[in-house]
C-alpha cells in the first residue's frame, strides 16, 4: 500500500506534518517501537509507530530520525498521547531528512493502525482474512477488551476451525486455545520447537511441516514486527529467541489466501512479542546498573541501595529479596560451521561469525531459560533481570527464600535443572556450529557477596565449557572438586596426558574387540571394589582381574596405587 492511502482512511486519525512530496512511497510493513536505536529490528519499507518514550530532549530527535532513514523506513507516525503534540524538533528533523511524518491522535490505538496496514499489505484477498483481522483488534488494545495472543488463537478456532499454539524457541507454551480439544503436551511442544529451529538453521522458509503420531502440524515463524521473511541478517542472531506458531493442520495444500491469513496473524502476535520485549527494558536496565557497580568494585552500601530499588520491580509485594543468585551464560558459534564446538573453543575466547553480537543473543536466551518450564503466557519472566557484557549474559535472580536440604545443600536455581527441559530444542537450534554454556553461583545474602557470586558463576561456566556437548551447565557445588582445574589445562597438555594413558587401551580394544576402557571406567566408579565392579559388568571376578592386569601391563601403571587411579580418572574426564 502507499502512504497516501493512510490519509484517506478517517478511522486512523492521522495528520500529515511533513513529507507531502513523498506520499507515493510503498509501505511493506509496520513496527511499533520506543527504542532509541531500533535499527536491528528494521528491514526497510516500514511505517514506524512511536509513543516518543525514547525522547528525553530536543537533541534526541535528529539521531533517531537519521537511524530510521538509514534503515530505509517509509514513514514515521508519532503519538500525541505522551506529550500532547508532536515536538517541533522532531518535525524539523524529519523535514531535513525528507522522512514523511504523521501525528497519531491520542484517541487512536497503534493497534488499529497496525491491523489496518497488515490487512492492506496482505491485499485483503479473502473474506475470512478481513473478518478475523478486524476482530483481532481486541488483542492489541490495552483495556479490558484485550487478551493477548490467546484471543487470536480463539478466533482462529471459532472462525476458521484451526487449533494453534504459540511456543517459545525452547518449547515453552506461551499461548493456546482456551477451549476445544486436548492441550498440547510439554513433550510435543519441545519436539515442535526442535523441528522449527532445525528447519530455520537449514534456511528453509516456513511454514515447516511435522507429523507427531497421527497429527500433522504446520509451524510458522513469528518474527519481530520490523522483520520480513527476506531479512538478510544471520539467522543465528534470532533463531534462539523467535517465537513460533504451531497450527494443527497441513498447510501444504492451502490456498495462497489462507497462508496470507496465517502470516498476518504471526505479524499481530509479533507486535505482542515486541511489547513484551519493551516491558523487559526496565528490568534489563536495573540488572545492567547493578552489574556495573559489582564489576567496578563499588562500595557494598551503594550496591545495596541499588538492590533496594530493583527488588520491588523484580519481586512485587515483597519489598526486598533476602537472597540473590547469579547465572552466567554464553553462546558461541564456530567459524562458518567449521566443525563441532568443543572445549578448545573456550580457549579462543569465543569465536564470532559475520559480526554476530553474542551478548544480546545470550541475554534473550537466558531470559527464556530462567522461566519455569511449566509457566505459560508471554510474561512469566517479570521477575528476571538479565544484562549482557561482551559475549556473555548475566542474570541477577532474586530469591524470596532459600531452604536447606537434608544434606546441608541450599536450594535455589540449579544448573542441571535449568537445561533439562530445553536441551533438545536448543541443540537443534545450535545445529553443528553453536554452543551454549551456563554457570550458576550459590545464593548470597547481601550486597557484599555479589562480586564473589559473579566470579563463582563465571568459573562454573568455564567448567561447563570444558565438557563435551552443545548445551552444558555447571553449578557452584562443582567448584569444590578437581573439575575446577580441568578448564584451565592447556589443550596440548590435555591431549598428551590422555593419549599417553588411554591410547594403548583404545588400540587394544580396537584390535581385539575388547572392553578395557569401559572396564577401567567401571572399576574406578566402584572405588576399586572387585566384587561390585564384577557384578556391574556381569563378569566373573577372575575375568575382571585379567582385564585389569592387561590394563596395567599396557600402561605400566598399578591400579592398586592411589596416584595411578587418580591419573586414570583425570584422563577419562578430560578425554
Amino acid at each position: 500500500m502507499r502512504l497516501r492511502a493512510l490519509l484517506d482512511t478517517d478511522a486512523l486519525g492521522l495528520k500529515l506534518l511533513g513529507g507531502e512530496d513523498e506520499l507515493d512511497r510503498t509501505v511493506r510493513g509496520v513496527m511499533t517501537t520506543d527504542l532509541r536505536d531500533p535499527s536491528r529490528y528494521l528491514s526497510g519499507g516500514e511505517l514506524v509507530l512511536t509513543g516518543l518514550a525514547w525522547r528525553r530532549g530536543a537533541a534526541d530527535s535528529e539521531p533517531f530520525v537519521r537511524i530510521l532513514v538509514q534503515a530505509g523506513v517509509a514513514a514515521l507516525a508519532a503519538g500525541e498521547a505522551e506529550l500532547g503534540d508532536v515536538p517541533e524538533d522532531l518535525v524539523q528533523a524529519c523535514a531535513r531528512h525528507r522522512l514523511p511524518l504523521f501525528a497519531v491522535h491520542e484517541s487512536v490505538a497503534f493497534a488499529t493502525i497496525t491491523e489496518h496496514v497488515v490487512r492492506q499489505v496482505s491485499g485483503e484477498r479473502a473474506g475470512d482474512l478481513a473478518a478475523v483481522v478486524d476482530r483481532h483488534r481486541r488483542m492489541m488494545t490495552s483495556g479490558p477488551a484485550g487478551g493477548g495472543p490467546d484471543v487470536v488463537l480463539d478466533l482462529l478456532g471459532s472462525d476458521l476451525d484451526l487449533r494453534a499454539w504459540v511456543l517459545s524457541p525452547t518449547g515453552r507454551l506461551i499461548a493456546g486455545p482456551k477451549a476445544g480439544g486436548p492441550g498440547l503436551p510439554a513433550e510435543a511442544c519441545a519436539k515442535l520447537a526442535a523441528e522449527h529451529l532445525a528447519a530455520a538453521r537449514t534456511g528453509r522458509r516456513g511454514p515447516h511441516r511435522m507429523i507427531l503420531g497421527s497429527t500433522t502440524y504446520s509451524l510458522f515463524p513469528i518474527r519481530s514486527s520490523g522483520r520480513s521473511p527476506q531479512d538478510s541478517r544471520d539467522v543465528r542472531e534470532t533463531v534462539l529467541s523467535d517465537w513460533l506458531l504451531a497450527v494443527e493442520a497441513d498447510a501444504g495444500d492451502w490456498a495462497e489466501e489462507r497462508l496470507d491469513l496465517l502470516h498476518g496473524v504471526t505479524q499481530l502476535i509479533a507486535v505482542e512479542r515486541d511489547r513484551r520485549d519493551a516491558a523487559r527494558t526496565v528490568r534489563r536496565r536495573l540488572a545492567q546498573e547493578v552489574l556495573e557497580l559489582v564489576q567496578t568494585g563499588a562500595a557494598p552500601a551503594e550496591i545495596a541501595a541499588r538492590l533496594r530499588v530493583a527488588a520491588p520491580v523484580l519481586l512485587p509485594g515483597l519489598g526486598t529479596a533476602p537472597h540473590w543468585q547469579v547465572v552466567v551464560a554464553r553462546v558461541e558459534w564456530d567459524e562458518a560451521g567449521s566443525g563441532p564446538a568443543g572445549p578448545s573453543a573456550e580457549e579462543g575466547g569465543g569465536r564470532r561469525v559475520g559480526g554476530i553480537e553474542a551478548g544480546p543473543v545470550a541475554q534473550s536466551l537466558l531470559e527464556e531459560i530462567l522461566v519455569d518450564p511449566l509457566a505459560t503466557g508471554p510474561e512469566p519472566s517479570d521477575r528476571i533481570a538479565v544484562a549482557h557484557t561482551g559475549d556473555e549474559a548475566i542474570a541477577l535472580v532474586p530469591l524470596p527464600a532459600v531452604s536447606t536440604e537434608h544434606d546441608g545443600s541450599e536450594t535455589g536455581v540449579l544448573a542441571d535443572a535449568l537445561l533439562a527441559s530445553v536441551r533438545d530444542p536448543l541443540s537443534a537450534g545450535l545445529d553443528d556450529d553453536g554452543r551454549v554454556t551456563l554457570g550458576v553461583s550459590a545464593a548470597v545474602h547481601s550486597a557484599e557477596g555479589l562480586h564473589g557470586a559473579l566470579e563463582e558463576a563465571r568459573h562454573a561456566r568455564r567448567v561447563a565449557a570444558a565438557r563435551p556437548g552443545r548445551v552444558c551447565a555447571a553449578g557452584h557445588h562443582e567448584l569444590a572438586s578437581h573439575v575446577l582445574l580441568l578448564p584451565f589445562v592447556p589443550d596440548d597438555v590435555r591431549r598428551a596426558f590422555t593419549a599417553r594413558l588411554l591410547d594403548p587401551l583404545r588400540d587394544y580394544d580396537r584390535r581385539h574387540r575388547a572392553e578395557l576402557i569401559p572396564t577401567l571406567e567401571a572399576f574406578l566408579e566402584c572405588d576399586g571394589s572387585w566384587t561390585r565392579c564384577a557384578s556391574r559388568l556381569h563378569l566373573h571376578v577372575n575375568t575382571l582381574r585379567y582385564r585389569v592386569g592387561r590394563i596395567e601391563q599396557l600402561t605400566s601403571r598399578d591400579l592398586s596405587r592411589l596416584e595411578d587411579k587418580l591419573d586414570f580418572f583425570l584422563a577419562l574426564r578430560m578425554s
Side-chain angles (χ1 to χ4, degrees):
M1 67 176 297
R2 299 192 182 278
L3 287 175
R4 193 178 305 280
L6 295 174
L7 290 174
D8 296 335
T9 307
D10 294 337
L12 300 183
L14 295 177
K15 180 173 64 176
L16 184 65
L17 300 181
E20 296 86 348
D21 298 333
E22 306 292 334
L23 291 180
D24 285 329
R25 291 187 182 185
T26 300
V27 179
R28 293 196 293 269
V30 62
M31 177 191 178
T32 301
T33 185
D34 277 310
L35 297 174
R36 296 170 70 91
D37 181 3
S39 57
R40 65 179 301 172
Y41 302 109
L42 297 169
S43 58
E46 296 92 352
L47 170 66
V48 174
L49 306 174
T50 181
L52 300 176
W54 50 267
R55 182 184 178 276
R56 297 186 177 90
D60 293 336
S61 293
E62 174 67 20
F64 181 76
V65 171
R66 190 185 309 118
I67 288 170
L68 298 187
V69 172
Q70 290 172 349
V73 305
L76 174 65
E80 296 179 333
E82 181 74 18
L83 301 178
D85 56 13
V86 178
E88 183 61 23
D89 49 87
L90 181 58
V91 176
Q92 294 176 3
C94 288
R96 281 193 297 271
H97 292 277
R98 300 180 63 84
L99 180 67
L101 175 64
F102 299 94
V104 182
H105 193 271
E106 62 182 3
S107 64
V108 179
F110 283 174
T112 301
I113 301 173
T114 299
E115 166 261 316
H116 177 82
V117 173
V118 168
R119 188 174 66 239
Q120 294 297 322
V121 169
S122 63
E124 297 183 304
R125 297 184 204 172
D128 57 359
L129 173 62
V132 173
V133 174
D134 278 342
R135 294 173 63 187
H136 285 171
R137 184 183 292 108
R138 288 190 285 125
M139 181 200 78
M140 307 306 302
T141 60
S142 57
D150 300 274
V151 172
V152 176
L153 303 184
D154 286 339
L155 289 172
L156 284 177
S158 62
D159 287 43
L160 301 179
D161 196 26
L162 290 175
R163 300 182 70 233
W165 297 263
V166 178
L167 305 178
S168 78
T170 62
R172 183 174 58 84
L173 182 64
I174 293 172
K178 296 179 181 177
L184 198 60
E187 182 180 359
C189 291
K191 290 181 178 179
L192 291 173
E195 170 64 20
H196 169 73
L197 293 178
R201 286 306 313 276
T202 61
R204 287 190 285 140
R205 294 184 60 182
H208 313 302
R209 183 173 174 269
M210 184 179 188
I211 300 176
L212 287 181
S214 59
T215 305
T216 300
Y217 296 90
S218 296
L219 310 177
F220 294 79
I222 299 175
R223 299 178 176 89
S224 174
S225 61
R227 289 163 50 214
S228 68
Q230 291 77 35
D231 198 321
S232 61
R233 77 183 64 183
D234 195 313
V235 67
R236 287 169 290 190
E237 283 192 68
T238 57
V239 70
L240 300 180
S241 58
D242 279 349
W243 290 354
L244 67 137
L245 178 68
V247 182
E248 190 179 275
D250 187 349
D253 56 357
W254 281 6
E256 195 68 27
E257 291 82 358
R258 180 61 62 93
L259 287 172
D260 282 346
L261 166 60
L262 268 295
H263 287 305
V265 168
T266 62
Q267 286 182 290
L268 289 171
I269 296 175
V271 176
E272 182 68 18
R273 167 66 188 269
D274 291 344
R275 177 184 295 176
R276 190 285 308 265
D277 287 343
R280 284 180 168 176
T281 302
V282 173
R283 296 188 292 275
R284 287 175 170 178
R285 185 182 302 124
L286 288 172
Q288 197 74 43
E289 291 174 355
V290 173
L291 174 62
E292 289 174 0
L293 291 174
V294 171
Q295 292 193 126
T296 57
E302 186 178 359
I303 299 175
R306 177 55 56 186
L307 288 177
R308 284 194 294 271
V309 173
V313 176
L314 303 176
L315 289 174
L318 295 181
T320 60
H323 309 283
W324 300 86
Q325 272 183 289
V326 175
V327 182
V328 173
R330 189 168 181 171
V331 178
E332 297 170 294
W333 303 102
D334 286 348
E335 293 282 354
S338 57
S344 61
E346 177 69 13
E347 304 300 331
R351 291 174 289 175
R352 300 169 67 182
V353 181
I356 296 176
E357 293 184 78
V361 175
Q363 182 181 43
S364 297
L365 181 60
L366 188 53
E367 286 172 333
E368 173 62 31
I369 290 176
L370 286 170
V371 176
D372 183 342
L374 299 179
T376 60
E379 288 292 343
S381 57
D382 60 354
R383 297 185 179 187
I384 298 169
V386 183
H388 71 82
T389 176
D391 288 349
E392 67 182 9
I394 301 170
L396 187 65
V397 182
L399 304 173
V402 175
S403 60
T404 303
E405 300 290 343
H406 297 301
D407 61 0
S409 62
E410 292 183 337
T411 62
V413 177
L414 302 177
D416 291 337
L418 282 179
L419 298 180
S421 62
V422 302
R423 183 171 273 108
D424 289 344
L426 286 184
S427 296
L430 293 165
D431 198 16
D432 290 329
D433 61 344
R435 200 157 188 255
V436 171
T437 51
L438 184 146
V440 182
S441 78
V444 295
H445 313 286
S446 64
E448 288 89 342
L450 279 180
H451 187 272
L454 175 59
E455 292 305 311
E456 188 174 58
R458 282 173 166 161
H459 279 304
R461 194 204 62 77
R462 294 190 187 101
V463 169
R467 295 172 176 166
R470 292 284 163 201
V471 184
C472 300
H476 60 91
H477 58 282
E478 299 181 64
L479 301 186
S481 72
H482 63 279
V483 296
L484 176 61
L485 303 176
L486 299 186
F488 307 103
V489 177
D491 277 355
D492 53 347
V493 175
R494 186 196 308 265
R495 286 191 292 268
F497 180 73
T498 57
R500 186 166 57 252
L501 280 176
L502 301 183
D503 278 2
L505 306 183
R506 291 174 178 144
D507 292 342
Y508 187 89
D509 283 347
R510 187 166 48 251
R511 291 196 311 269
H512 300 280
R513 296 185 179 180
E515 295 184 344
L516 296 187
I517 291 289
T519 300
L520 176 62
E521 291 174 333
F523 187 73
L524 295 175
E525 288 173 1
C526 292
D527 298 324
S529 169
W530 296 99
T531 54
R532 282 197 290 127
C533 184
S535 177
R536 172 181 292 192
L537 296 176
H538 305 289
L539 298 174
H540 191 278
V541 172
N542 289 341
T543 303
L544 176 62
R545 291 185 184 277
Y546 171 79
R547 289 187 182 179
V548 170
R550 178 64 68 183
I551 291 171
E552 293 175 332
Q553 180 184 18
L554 291 170
T555 60
S556 300
R557 297 297 184 107
D558 183 355
L559 277 168
S560 65
R561 298 178 67 247
L562 176 61
E563 293 87 346
D564 289 339
K565 286 181 182 177
L566 180 58
D567 283 347
F568 277 122
F569 177 77
L570 291 174
L572 289 169
R573 291 300 297 267
M574 289 191 293
S575 65

